[in-house]
Amino acid sequence: MAEKHELVTAISKGMNTKAESEGHNVVIDEPANMGGTDEGANPLGTLLASLAGCENAIANFVAKEMEFDLQGIDFEIDGEMDPRGMMGEEGVRPYFKKVTVHAKVRTSETEERVRELQKKVDRRCPVFTTLEAADVEMVPEWVKA
């Protein structure tokens, strides 16, 4: 199978970035108190939203393979970091230290099957595994809704 490439183009002005991916637009910005125009989520929020979207997409692929009754997933994702790193303080990493993925899975399946789904999804999700490879402590908390 040939390698897949993702291509995003972006135009930035001040803190505001208007990006396009395969004809879809995404606005990334900062709130006014950080010098932005607050037209979109901030970059870190966008990263966590990407994690939710990726986990959901992979869950749907895996559910089909497992013959798992997946009716939907509600995510709440909490990223913890020390903002001093982002602001330039030496010795403080400028990215998440820990990300907790709270997922409520709407299904008729058992809690055991939900855990099986979660494990398979986390092994295959490119965003989850990228964060894990960056030494972010990933805490999956998937439960049956």
Side-chain angles (χ1 to χ4, degrees):
M1 179 181 237
E3 284 193 17
K4 180 174 177 9
H5 293 265
E6 290 292 328
L7 177 64
V8 172
T9 57
I11 299 171
S12 299
K13 183 176 179 186
M15 295 282 191
N16 186 295
T17 299
K18 290 181 174 48
E20 184 179 313
S21 172
E22 297 183 13
H24 301 281
N25 296 313
V26 177
V27 177
I28 302 169
D29 204 348
E30 290 287 344
N33 67 342
M34 294 287 290
T37 57
D38 204 22
E39 286 184 42
N42 70 42
L44 293 172
T46 305
L47 176 62
L48 296 181
S50 292
L51 175 58
C54 192
E55 291 257 295
N56 178 62
I58 299 299
N60 276 274
F61 297 145
V62 171
K64 194 170 280 186
E65 293 168 8
M66 292 174 58
E67 296 181 0
F68 183 100
D69 173 33
L70 180 58
Q71 299 163 16
I73 307 174
D74 297 334
F75 289 97
E76 183 176 287
I77 302 178
D78 180 28
E80 296 176 33
M81 66 178 290
D82 185 336
R84 295 176 302 162
M86 183 174 58
M87 301 314 278
E89 187 165 321
E90 289 293 320
V92 179
R93 72 189 213 180
Y95 59 96
F96 291 121
K97 159 177 87 171
K98 177 179 177 181
V99 172
T100 305
V101 180
H102 302 277
K104 290 184 180 166
V105 181
R106 294 190 304 282
T107 184
S108 62
E109 302 278 353
T110 64
E111 289 283 355
E112 185 178 324
R113 288 268 290 167
V114 169
R115 281 191 299 281
E116 183 184 347
L117 176 70
Q118 172 263 308
K119 284 181 170 67
K120 288 180 177 189
V121 168
D122 290 347
R123 276 197 306 270
R124 290 172 54 178
C125 174
V127 177
F128 187 99
T129 56
T130 297
L131 290 168
E132 203 170 44
D135 193 33
V136 176
E137 180 187 352
M138 299 300 289
V139 182
E141 294 182 352
W142 288 41
V143 295
K144 184 175 171 172

